[in-house]
Amino acid sequence: MSDTPRTRVQGTQGRSVLLDVRGLRKHFPIRGGILNRVIGTVQAVDNVSFAVREGETLGIVGESGCGKSTTARLLMHLIEPDDGTITFDGRVVDKRDRAALRDMRRVLQMVFQDSYSSLNPRLPIEETIAFAPWVHGIPKREARDRAHRLLGAVGLEPATFARRYPHELSGGQRQRVNIARALALEPRVVVLDEPVSALDKSVEAQVLNLLVDLKDAFRLTYVFISHDLNVVQYVSDRVLVMYLGKVVEVGPVDQIYANPRHPYTRALLASRPSMNPRQRTTEAPLTGDPPNPINPPSGCRFRTRCAFAEGVCSTAEPRLAASDAVGGGLDAHMVACHMLAPDSGHSKTVLASNTA
Amino acid sequence: MQQPSPVPDSAAPLVDVVDLSVRFVSKDATVHAVNGVSFQLTAGEVLCILGESGSGKSVTMRALLRLLPETARISGQVRVDGRDVIAMAGNELARLRGGVASMIFQEPMTALDPVFTVGQQIAETIVRHEGTSWAEAEKRGLELLELVQIPSAKRRLASYPHELSGGLRQRAMIAMALSCRPRLLLADEPTTALDATVQIQILLLLRRLQEDLGMGVIFVTHDLGVAGEIADRVAVMYAGRFIETGPVVDLMEGPLHPYTQGLLGSTVHGGMRGQRLTAIPGSPPSLSELPTGCAFAPRCPQAMDVCQTSEPTERKPRPDRTARCVLVEESIQAA
């Protein structure tokens, strides 16, 4: 790995939309009682829409129960949505269209948080990596050659590592294998679900550097899911903030971090421990825990923890709308908050538009 | 008036550890988890032990209460509140744990008993240690839940752990740990499993409780930011040794050891976008086969020949700082 400063692809504006998600919804029923009836639903993902452009990294950030991992699984069609459409490269992916689904699964790959449970413990890692290409009709020897090349690309010397089993590797090495496995089918999009959360800090930095290198080398598009705001800021071009199954804010990374508009995003950013012991946090930005996604609050789901909540917040659900006059399109900074909607009836709306 | 004792209590450190080593011996391997750790903690001080997984930070802390499995071989000296923990018999240990010193854990769901209510578990601790009546203990339980800012404390006293959210569960565990007014609180990554907005609440709560109750706290974490929020002093641990110690501001602003420097460089924080992270190459050594010489030498960008052969001694460049690295100069004059 070279130490030259990375040049970020600045203009992804003109690129085409690769993945388009509209109105995605997934509710999990909870059964109970003697008749095993549905006694509630976990509203894991509720009316989530976003688009990912070719070559960009979309970060999805939020706390536990916000639906970020469910979103990843829906993207991969590991679970079927109750409602909504996922369009990949202009083609609607539906479970009834087996061919479209199979094509999509090849070009959309996923890396999970737990590097150990996502590798087959009984296979040497070269075979784990070569397995998918072999299943997709590539001769065994060729698939193994590809596995060796990929091991090299993720920084594991094939001569040393190819025949090793997952338990013989460290956590960081295992995550590298997972990344190599995800790349084996030459995907266009990689969904990374908390890929560095289980790693030590010193190893986390190695894997983040690797992900950046691979993105350039293989011209990948990333959907990067994490609870770590600093990591998301580091890797993402655009960021989607989720709370209890809803998108509360989305926009270019610099906009979100320098000028967060939704009260939840502001609180989330202010909750990061200060890296400066001379300036410690003196007050917690929020009280309480995120509510249970079973039967979430009416109206705005954040209102139970929001300092600005008013009557309108419990009756009407805020719509995701452009927060300022910068304009629409994919690079718009969108916020779902009544305070930023001029006609919502919230008393702070005037104030908000003045400071905009 | 009584004669003052020859050594006043305030001068004796709350925790005094000299050359602590812990090995786990099995047929296959000997794991050198802790290799000669010495430190003192004064009453009312917060020490953060910062390290990555497998650095021995949790084992060091558990050794203070001898909360280690039978296979552990402990050597060295450990004194808590003036008493020798290594020599303690079973009943003495039981009085120490939860009495003078108590501990909170990363995962409250596994640390709390699922079949008893929060109130019962707190009351049991108080009755056991202080021999009060059950009613008296339950009353204290309510005060404790209010102390840790659990809303509608009375109702929560009758809750089972699974009925509480993660943040409330962690608060309940803190209440239980504080039930016998410990002088020493040991915290093993108590905020790691929590969401960001909850983590900061628990950190601020612990900081306030520590100040109000004047406890000494040893806080184990892998997160520099957490250490920055809560520590007075930081000890950085690598391969079972304290490789650097110092006041939190000095250590974070001017790390001496190459490992600490690497850790600071590889921790992602705001304003690093577009820059390449200065990662530490390789991974931490296996504790069953430690390299000879400096354990960090195989990953160190500044390693020299001498690092491969001999373990660097502890240097004291300033009275309140130590580092185990040959690049750190011993100060000439003792301040």
PDB file of all heavy atoms in Angstrom, chain A residues 181-192:
ATOM      1  N   ARG A 181     -13.933 -12.602  -0.932  1.00  0.00           N
ATOM      2  CA  ARG A 181     -15.043 -13.465  -1.340  1.00  0.00           C
ATOM      3  C   ARG A 181     -16.140 -12.637  -2.024  1.00  0.00           C
ATOM      4  O   ARG A 181     -16.698 -13.025  -3.049  1.00  0.00           O
ATOM      5  CB  ARG A 181     -15.618 -14.184  -0.127  1.00  0.00           C
ATOM      6  CG  ARG A 181     -16.766 -15.114  -0.458  1.00  0.00           C
ATOM      7  CD  ARG A 181     -17.530 -15.558   0.777  1.00  0.00           C
ATOM      8  NE  ARG A 181     -17.958 -14.440   1.617  1.00  0.00           N
ATOM      9  CZ  ARG A 181     -18.919 -13.580   1.308  1.00  0.00           C
ATOM     10  NH1 ARG A 181     -19.553 -13.677   0.168  1.00  0.00           N
ATOM     11  NH2 ARG A 181     -19.238 -12.590   2.132  1.00  0.00           N
ATOM     12  N   ALA A 182     -16.410 -11.461  -1.448  1.00  0.00           N
ATOM     13  CA  ALA A 182     -17.455 -10.611  -2.028  1.00  0.00           C
ATOM     14  C   ALA A 182     -17.063 -10.130  -3.422  1.00  0.00           C
ATOM     15  O   ALA A 182     -17.917  -9.897  -4.265  1.00  0.00           O
ATOM     16  CB  ALA A 182     -17.729  -9.418  -1.114  1.00  0.00           C
ATOM     17  N   LEU A 183     -15.748 -10.000  -3.664  1.00  0.00           N
ATOM     18  CA  LEU A 183     -15.298  -9.478  -4.958  1.00  0.00           C
ATOM     19  C   LEU A 183     -15.149 -10.567  -6.013  1.00  0.00           C
ATOM     20  O   LEU A 183     -14.916 -10.272  -7.187  1.00  0.00           O
ATOM     21  CB  LEU A 183     -13.951  -8.758  -4.796  1.00  0.00           C
ATOM     22  CG  LEU A 183     -13.951  -7.529  -3.890  1.00  0.00           C
ATOM     23  CD1 LEU A 183     -12.552  -6.936  -3.828  1.00  0.00           C
ATOM     24  CD2 LEU A 183     -14.946  -6.489  -4.388  1.00  0.00           C
ATOM     25  N   ALA A 184     -15.300 -11.839  -5.612  1.00  0.00           N
ATOM     26  CA  ALA A 184     -14.972 -12.949  -6.509  1.00  0.00           C
ATOM     27  C   ALA A 184     -15.867 -12.999  -7.735  1.00  0.00           C
ATOM     28  O   ALA A 184     -15.477 -13.532  -8.763  1.00  0.00           O
ATOM     29  CB  ALA A 184     -15.033 -14.276  -5.750  1.00  0.00           C
ATOM     30  N   LEU A 185     -17.083 -12.475  -7.634  1.00  0.00           N
ATOM     31  CA  LEU A 185     -17.974 -12.515  -8.793  1.00  0.00           C
ATOM     32  C   LEU A 185     -17.947 -11.202  -9.564  1.00  0.00           C
ATOM     33  O   LEU A 185     -18.845 -10.933 -10.363  1.00  0.00           O
ATOM     34  CB  LEU A 185     -19.393 -12.843  -8.341  1.00  0.00           C
ATOM     35  CG  LEU A 185     -19.591 -14.303  -7.941  1.00  0.00           C
ATOM     36  CD1 LEU A 185     -20.945 -14.507  -7.311  1.00  0.00           C
ATOM     37  CD2 LEU A 185     -19.435 -15.203  -9.151  1.00  0.00           C
ATOM     38  N   GLU A 186     -16.930 -10.404  -9.335  1.00  0.00           N
ATOM     39  CA  GLU A 186     -16.782  -9.119 -10.011  1.00  0.00           C
ATOM     40  C   GLU A 186     -18.047  -8.277  -9.883  1.00  0.00           C
ATOM     41  O   GLU A 186     -18.675  -7.913 -10.888  1.00  0.00           O
ATOM     42  CB  GLU A 186     -16.396  -9.328 -11.478  1.00  0.00           C
ATOM     43  CG  GLU A 186     -15.036  -9.983 -11.570  1.00  0.00           C
ATOM     44  CD  GLU A 186     -14.721 -10.502 -12.961  1.00  0.00           C
ATOM     45  OE1 GLU A 186     -15.639 -10.639 -13.786  1.00  0.00           O
ATOM     46  OE2 GLU A 186     -13.539 -10.766 -13.211  1.00  0.00           O
ATOM     47  N   PRO A 187     -18.437  -7.996  -8.646  1.00  0.00           N
ATOM     48  CA  PRO A 187     -19.677  -7.240  -8.439  1.00  0.00           C
ATOM     49  C   PRO A 187     -19.496  -5.781  -8.826  1.00  0.00           C
ATOM     50  O   PRO A 187     -18.384  -5.296  -8.993  1.00  0.00           O
ATOM     51  CB  PRO A 187     -19.906  -7.353  -6.934  1.00  0.00           C
ATOM     52  CG  PRO A 187     -18.525  -7.429  -6.371  1.00  0.00           C
ATOM     53  CD  PRO A 187     -17.719  -8.204  -7.381  1.00  0.00           C
ATOM     54  N   ARG A 188     -20.641  -5.091  -8.954  1.00  0.00           N
ATOM     55  CA  ARG A 188     -20.581  -3.646  -9.189  1.00  0.00           C
ATOM     56  C   ARG A 188     -20.884  -2.882  -7.910  1.00  0.00           C
ATOM     57  O   ARG A 188     -20.424  -1.760  -7.744  1.00  0.00           O
ATOM     58  CB  ARG A 188     -21.577  -3.272 -10.291  1.00  0.00           C
ATOM     59  CG  ARG A 188     -21.201  -3.932 -11.621  1.00  0.00           C
ATOM     60  CD  ARG A 188     -22.287  -3.737 -12.651  1.00  0.00           C
ATOM     61  NE  ARG A 188     -22.389  -2.327 -13.042  1.00  0.00           N
ATOM     62  CZ  ARG A 188     -23.363  -1.862 -13.814  1.00  0.00           C
ATOM     63  NH1 ARG A 188     -24.309  -2.683 -14.247  1.00  0.00           N
ATOM     64  NH2 ARG A 188     -23.411  -0.595 -14.132  1.00  0.00           N
ATOM     65  N   VAL A 189     -21.700  -3.503  -7.058  1.00  0.00           N
ATOM     66  CA  VAL A 189     -22.047  -2.854  -5.800  1.00  0.00           C
ATOM     67  C   VAL A 189     -21.692  -3.793  -4.649  1.00  0.00           C
ATOM     68  O   VAL A 189     -21.952  -4.997  -4.726  1.00  0.00           O
ATOM     69  CB  VAL A 189     -23.554  -2.533  -5.730  1.00  0.00           C
ATOM     70  CG1 VAL A 189     -23.891  -1.836  -4.413  1.00  0.00           C
ATOM     71  CG2 VAL A 189     -23.979  -1.681  -6.900  1.00  0.00           C
ATOM     72  N   VAL A 190     -21.058  -3.273  -3.611  1.00  0.00           N
ATOM     73  CA  VAL A 190     -20.817  -4.071  -2.413  1.00  0.00           C
ATOM     74  C   VAL A 190     -21.537  -3.399  -1.251  1.00  0.00           C
ATOM     75  O   VAL A 190     -21.355  -2.206  -0.997  1.00  0.00           O
ATOM     76  CB  VAL A 190     -19.309  -4.207  -2.100  1.00  0.00           C
ATOM     77  CG1 VAL A 190     -19.104  -5.103  -0.885  1.00  0.00           C
ATOM     78  CG2 VAL A 190     -18.561  -4.773  -3.288  1.00  0.00           C
ATOM     79  N   VAL A 191     -22.399  -4.173  -0.587  1.00  0.00           N
ATOM     80  CA  VAL A 191     -23.093  -3.688   0.592  1.00  0.00           C
ATOM     81  C   VAL A 191     -22.269  -4.119   1.801  1.00  0.00           C
ATOM     82  O   VAL A 191     -22.044  -5.307   2.021  1.00  0.00           O
ATOM     83  CB  VAL A 191     -24.524  -4.263   0.671  1.00  0.00           C
ATOM     84  CG1 VAL A 191     -25.217  -3.789   1.937  1.00  0.00           C
ATOM     85  CG2 VAL A 191     -25.324  -3.868  -0.556  1.00  0.00           C
ATOM     86  N   LEU A 192     -21.763  -3.153   2.554  1.00  0.00           N
ATOM     87  CA  LEU A 192     -20.881  -3.441   3.685  1.00  0.00           C
ATOM     88  C   LEU A 192     -21.664  -3.154   4.966  1.00  0.00           C
ATOM     89  O   LEU A 192     -21.972  -2.006   5.266  1.00  0.00           O
ATOM     90  CB  LEU A 192     -19.628  -2.573   3.602  1.00  0.00           C
ATOM     91  CG  LEU A 192     -18.821  -2.732   2.314  1.00  0.00           C
ATOM     92  CD1 LEU A 192     -18.279  -1.398   1.843  1.00  0.00           C
ATOM     93  CD2 LEU A 192     -17.698  -3.731   2.502  1.00  0.00           C
TER      94      LEU A 192
END
